[in-house]
Amino acid sequence: MIGRMMVSALALTGIAHAQTPAPVNETTPDCTPTPTCAAATVPTGSDRVAYDTGFFAQYNPRTALDMVRQAPGFSLDGGDDRRGFSGAVGNLLIDGLRPTSKSQSLDGILSRIPASQVLRIEVLRGAAVAGDASGQAVLLNVVRTSAAGSGVWEAGFEYSRAREVAAPQGELSYSGRNGQFEYGVGASIFSQYRSLPGWRVITDGAGTPIETVDTPSPRDYREAALNANMAFPLFGGRLSATGQIDGDRFRADNDFLTFDPLGVNTRSLLSDFHEQSRGLEIGVNYDRDFGPWSMALVGLVNRSRYESEELATNTDGAGAVVLVQNQDVQNESGETILRGALSRGLGQHRFEIGAEGAFNSLDSQLVFTEDSGGGPTVIPIGNSNVLVEEERAEVFGVHTWRPNDNWTLETRLAWETSTLNFTGDTNQSVELSFWKPSVQLTRSFAGNNQLRLRIYRDVGQLDFGDFTSAAAIADSLIAGGNPDLAPQTSWRGEVDADVRFGGAALGLTLTQHQITDVADVVKITPTTGSPYDAPGNIGDGEATSLELNFSTPLTPIIPGGRLTIEGSLWDTEVTDPVTNQPRIISYRPESLIEIDFRQDLPALRMAWGVSYFKEGENQAYRFNEIDTSEEGPWVDVFVETTALPNNMKLRATAANITQGTIHRDRRFFTGDRNGPLARRDLRERQFDHSPWLIVELSGAF
């Protein structure tokens, strides 16, 4: 819920047919606002499915986010795991233009736009997104009116009986237009005070109980943000600028009380952990047309600082201190991006060329000490004090051909090169370069239905945090860093279907992945000290994934009802470097499913609903351990009403009514995973005193 503001980035979308929305009459269609009401005043077609404000009226939206969440067959995707600028900014457009931001969430951007400023919501596909730099199959375009200034506000709290204190939350923003000058300001706060207690059962390889552990864990989280944006004509084009400052704090008391099979307390680990971060983002975008050519220039700067400290006190059964561990981490990171693109249409064809340069850095510093009674002693951890700097460049070209209304062919070729320099605990330089071709064919059929075939090469994101190490005290392991980690690449073949019928929408994407340099976990053997695990590449692998997005009205059965189902299934395989046997890829959940039901009762000016979320097994294969986790189901129930003065909305949510759990199973082997099972650690965590209550009051001005 951190406040996010947006600024436009014309031409970076790479969209030939979505940059200039079709002219429409700015009125609500003359029809009953139900999910099956067509947007009568908005032209729709196979590439552009539009939903006018009448479609969303029954949901009593306050912001554009309220409307987007009800758009059939669409889910917001921030694109966070993709390399480069355009590939990381997601599938959202505002007035046909892409938000120029990487650190600001799409939810936050939309929550700053009052619903009164929204003319319609468009789902763009096929030729309308051909050439898009993000590679997304479906984009959503929020088309706004030329309204004067207006604002939205929200105030609320979250309350849990476990902490018996209300955690405040709130947002306030104002935006508008004065002629050709566009502006916006916003602020937000968010907090959570929760407890996540649990237990552990430790057994030997034969399953005989060795000890149990109680793990109470109260935790507090707070964040705040200030942001602003503006846009105005300049030198025959348009200049846009945005800025945001934000910060957050987190604290957890991770206490571990260990008992033998007879229930006697044998030892304890009392851990006081707190972390904080602050960030700054400034983005500037300049767009201008030169005859048939459109130019876009973008500059984006991000700076952040992260600090954390963990003090862990180990005591024996009598309460005497036997060991004190302290870890102090300080990270400074930055990213500077310059990007330019030129595009033009030529009959049935469209061409775009462009280039991007970036400089990224992470300066990580860590001090880890242990004191067993003789004073603190610094314990070295490999790759924990490292400066990482990357210089990256990319050039690209895109050609889109639309021979008729039913077919679209897009071809793309990009080449990127980067140099990574490491100094500190590791001193080395790494050169990387990749070709990234793509071919996509789209066929429209039977009105608003589409089928898409795509073959392309994908390059995974590099997380600089994977290059640096830290101690995970509570888990008694080193979260290792590995400067030799290379981006995972894959050839992908996709078949995507988007079918719309009777007010319902069904999206299916089946993808085959042929992966090179699978990013997983590898064993690191330092010159001194014990081996540990770190992110690394383990060879070639393959995967098959299926993604589903289904939304349908339930009016014939439940008046005013709507059901939305989103989910994914993954089947992965790679050869294990320890056992030389096939296994799944680490850190990839086998399944995800989210189900949302909502019923609107317009006569009573109220609505209610239920949401369900479940994540399947997620495994990590360390050199001497298999770590399996699973969470959920999480079930929330809400009720909301607008039967209040000034059309305010009051929403109350009972979160986690089924007391969902987080399960974890750690199996340790002698030597490595080729050896016999030596120990098993079964864990479960469950939020204390569920459900907790979330109350939100919102309005417009």
Side-chain angles (χ1 to χ4, degrees):
M1 291 196 180
I2 285 185
R4 314 291 192 211
M5 296 305 295
M6 75 91 191
V7 64
S8 296
L10 184 65
L12 281 181
T13 61
I15 296 176
H17 309 285
Q19 292 176 356
T20 305
V24 297
N25 177 15
E26 295 187 11
T27 60
T28 302
D30 184 17
C31 56
T32 304
T34 67
T36 57
C37 166
T41 62
V42 179
T44 63
S46 60
D47 296 327
R48 182 192 305 264
V49 182
Y51 299 91
D52 211 331
T53 54
F55 179 90
F56 303 99
Q58 69 166 341
Y59 306 115
N60 296 305
R62 291 294 170 271
T63 68
L65 180 61
D66 296 333
M67 304 170 77
V68 169
R69 285 174 172 169
Q70 303 303 324
F74 179 82
S75 299
L76 284 173
D77 180 359
D80 295 334
D81 60 348
R82 302 187 61 83
R83 290 174 61 78
F85 175 74
S86 293
V89 292
N91 58 355
L92 174 68
L93 307 177
I94 309 293
D95 294 329
L97 314 176
R98 188 180 297 286
T100 308
S101 173
K102 287 189 71 175
S103 67
Q104 302 175 30
S105 74
L106 301 185
D107 281 8
I109 291 170
L110 290 168
S111 70
R112 293 300 187 269
I113 302 175
S116 61
Q117 293 185 10
V118 178
L119 175 62
R120 67 180 184 273
I121 302 292
E122 299 177 338
V123 179
L124 307 179
R125 313 164 303 163
V129 301
D132 178 59
S134 72
Q136 301 277 359
V138 178
L139 300 180
L140 185 134
N141 184 32
V142 177
V143 181
R144 297 177 297 173
T145 68
S146 56
S150 59
V152 291
W153 60 271
E154 180 181 296
F157 63 88
E158 177 180 300
Y159 178 80
S160 169
R161 289 183 295 130
R163 305 297 299 276
E164 295 185 344
V165 62
Q169 305 171 5
E171 290 185 279
L172 177 67
S173 66
Y174 190 84
S175 61
R177 300 176 181 177
N178 185 359
Q180 298 188 65
F181 181 78
E182 180 182 328
Y183 59 90
V185 293
S188 67
I189 60 170
F190 177 77
S191 58
Q192 284 182 338
Y193 308 143
R194 297 179 178 177
S195 292
L196 188 61
W199 50 260
R200 302 179 181 181
V201 175
I202 314 298
T203 65
D204 62 19
T208 303
I210 301 174
E211 57 190 16
T212 60
V213 185
D214 286 341
T215 58
S217 182
R219 46 190 64 193
D220 300 343
Y221 179 74
R222 302 175 180 89
E223 65 179 24
L226 297 171
N227 42 63
N229 70 282
M230 63 179 180
F232 53 89
L234 182 68
F235 302 135
R238 187 166 182 81
L239 180 71
S240 305
T242 187
Q244 174 172 286
I245 56 175
D246 56 71
D248 61 71
R249 292 176 178 268
F250 174 75
R251 180 166 185 171
D253 294 324
N254 295 307
D255 299 340
F256 304 88
L257 312 176
T258 303
F259 302 88
D260 65 17
L262 298 177
V264 178
N265 181 210
T266 57
R267 67 180 187 277
S268 300
L269 170 63
L270 309 178
S271 171
D272 181 11
F273 174 81
H274 63 269
E275 64 181 356
Q276 61 183 15
S277 66
R278 56 184 182 271
L280 167 69
E281 180 181 71
I282 298 174
V284 178
N285 188 116
Y286 182 70
D287 309 301
R288 182 176 175 179
D289 291 339
F290 294 92
W293 291 91
S294 295
M295 179 189 73
L297 302 175
V298 166
L300 186 66
V301 175
N302 275 290
R303 298 291 183 267
S304 64
R305 180 176 177 84
Y306 169 85
E307 300 174 347
S308 72
E309 183 175 5
E310 183 172 10
L311 178 63
T313 304
N314 297 266
T315 63
D316 60 19
V321 176
V322 296
L323 179 66
V324 176
Q325 299 168 300
N326 184 271
Q327 180 170 241
D328 189 352
V329 177
Q330 297 187 28
N331 291 339
E332 292 188 358
S333 60
E335 180 177 41
T336 302
I337 296 176
L338 294 174
R339 181 182 175 94
L342 285 171
S343 61
R344 69 164 296 173
L346 190 63
Q348 299 175 332
H349 303 269
R350 181 181 181 275
F351 302 91
E352 181 178 3
I353 56 173
E356 175 178 311
F359 178 78
N360 305 313
S361 65
L362 172 65
D363 188 357
S364 177
Q365 301 179 36
L366 179 146
V367 178
F368 184 82
T369 63
E370 291 186 348
D371 184 357
S372 57
T377 300
V378 175
I379 307 298
I381 298 177
N383 297 324
S384 61
N385 292 275
V386 179
L387 171 62
V388 187
E389 296 177 310
E390 180 189 33
E391 297 176 349
R392 189 179 65 83
E394 177 179 321
V395 293
F396 60 89
V398 184
H399 170 239
T400 304
W401 177 37
R402 191 182 189 190
N404 55 51
D405 291 341
N406 294 326
W407 292 92
T408 302
L409 177 66
E410 175 205 314
T411 54
R412 172 191 297 271
L413 183 62
W415 180 73
E416 75 166 64
T417 179
S418 63
T419 301
L420 286 160
N421 292 306
F422 300 86
T423 55
D425 290 350
T426 297
N427 293 279
Q428 68 182 55
S429 181
V430 179
E431 301 283 344
L432 300 170
S433 63
F434 305 96
W435 287 99
K436 298 184 291 186
S438 173
V439 177
Q440 176 175 297
L441 180 66
T442 303
R443 172 72 163 95
S444 300
F445 61 96
N448 287 334
N449 303 318
Q450 286 197 339
L451 182 67
R452 180 178 65 96
L453 304 176
R454 185 185 181 200
I455 299 175
Y456 65 105
R457 190 187 191 204
D458 184 76
V459 180
Q461 180 67 288
L462 280 177
D463 183 347
F464 279 18
D466 290 339
F467 296 136
T468 63
S469 300
I473 297 176
D475 287 335
S476 300
L477 57 80
I478 299 298
N482 182 13
D484 294 324
L485 174 67
Q488 172 180 289
T489 64
S490 62
W491 281 99
R492 301 185 183 183
E494 287 183 356
V495 179
D496 180 275
D498 189 338
V499 182
R500 295 171 185 266
F501 51 95
L506 172 64
L508 287 172
T509 302
L510 178 65
T511 308
Q512 179 64 32
H513 313 246
Q514 295 296 326
I515 308 171
T516 302
D517 291 330
V518 171
D520 205 279
V521 180
V522 299
K523 181 181 179 180
I524 303 295
T525 304
T527 54
T528 59
S530 302
Y532 57 87
D533 298 279
N537 306 104
I538 61 171
D540 297 342
E542 62 180 30
T544 303
S545 62
L546 176 65
E547 297 181 355
L548 163 73
N549 189 313
F550 175 66
S551 177
T552 183
L554 301 175
T555 303
I557 305 173
I558 303 175
R562 175 167 284 272
L563 179 69
T564 301
I565 303 174
E566 297 180 43
S568 64
L569 294 172
W570 281 80
D571 180 22
T572 66
E573 184 175 305
V574 68
T575 299
D576 191 295
V578 175
T579 66
N580 291 318
Q581 297 298 314
R583 65 161 171 87
I584 63 174
I585 297 174
S586 294
Y587 301 117
R588 168 60 66 182
E590 63 179 7
S591 63
L592 288 170
I593 186 167
E594 182 172 358
I595 303 174
D596 292 291
F597 167 78
R598 176 186 175 105
Q599 183 183 20
D600 289 274
L601 306 170
L604 300 177
R605 297 180 63 186
M606 68 171 294
W608 73 282
V610 182
S611 65
Y612 172 97
F613 176 84
K614 181 71 172 69
E615 179 179 286
E617 282 193 356
N618 188 348
Q619 292 188 322
Y621 288 83
R622 304 186 179 97
F623 77 92
N624 65 343
E625 175 191 354
I626 299 177
D627 189 348
T628 305
S629 62
E630 185 175 358
E631 66 174 78
W634 311 110
V635 180
D636 300 344
V637 175
F638 78 88
V639 61
E640 65 183 31
T641 179
T642 56
L644 298 173
N646 300 318
N647 204 32
M648 293 186 297
K649 178 188 291 186
L650 179 65
R651 180 184 176 107
T653 303
N656 193 24
I657 63 172
T658 57
Q659 297 186 335
T661 56
I662 301 172
H663 298 278
R664 189 175 179 188
D665 181 2
R666 300 182 69 187
R667 287 173 286 167
F668 299 87
F669 300 85
T670 301
D672 60 24
R673 283 186 283 104
N674 290 302
L677 180 66
R679 181 166 58 92
R680 192 170 185 180
D681 182 345
L682 292 170
R683 307 182 180 187
E684 182 176 302
R685 283 189 178 273
Q686 188 176 82
F687 283 104
D688 201 9
H689 292 285
S690 300
W692 55 86
L693 178 66
I694 303 172
V695 178
E696 301 165 310
L697 181 66
S698 61
F701 61 94

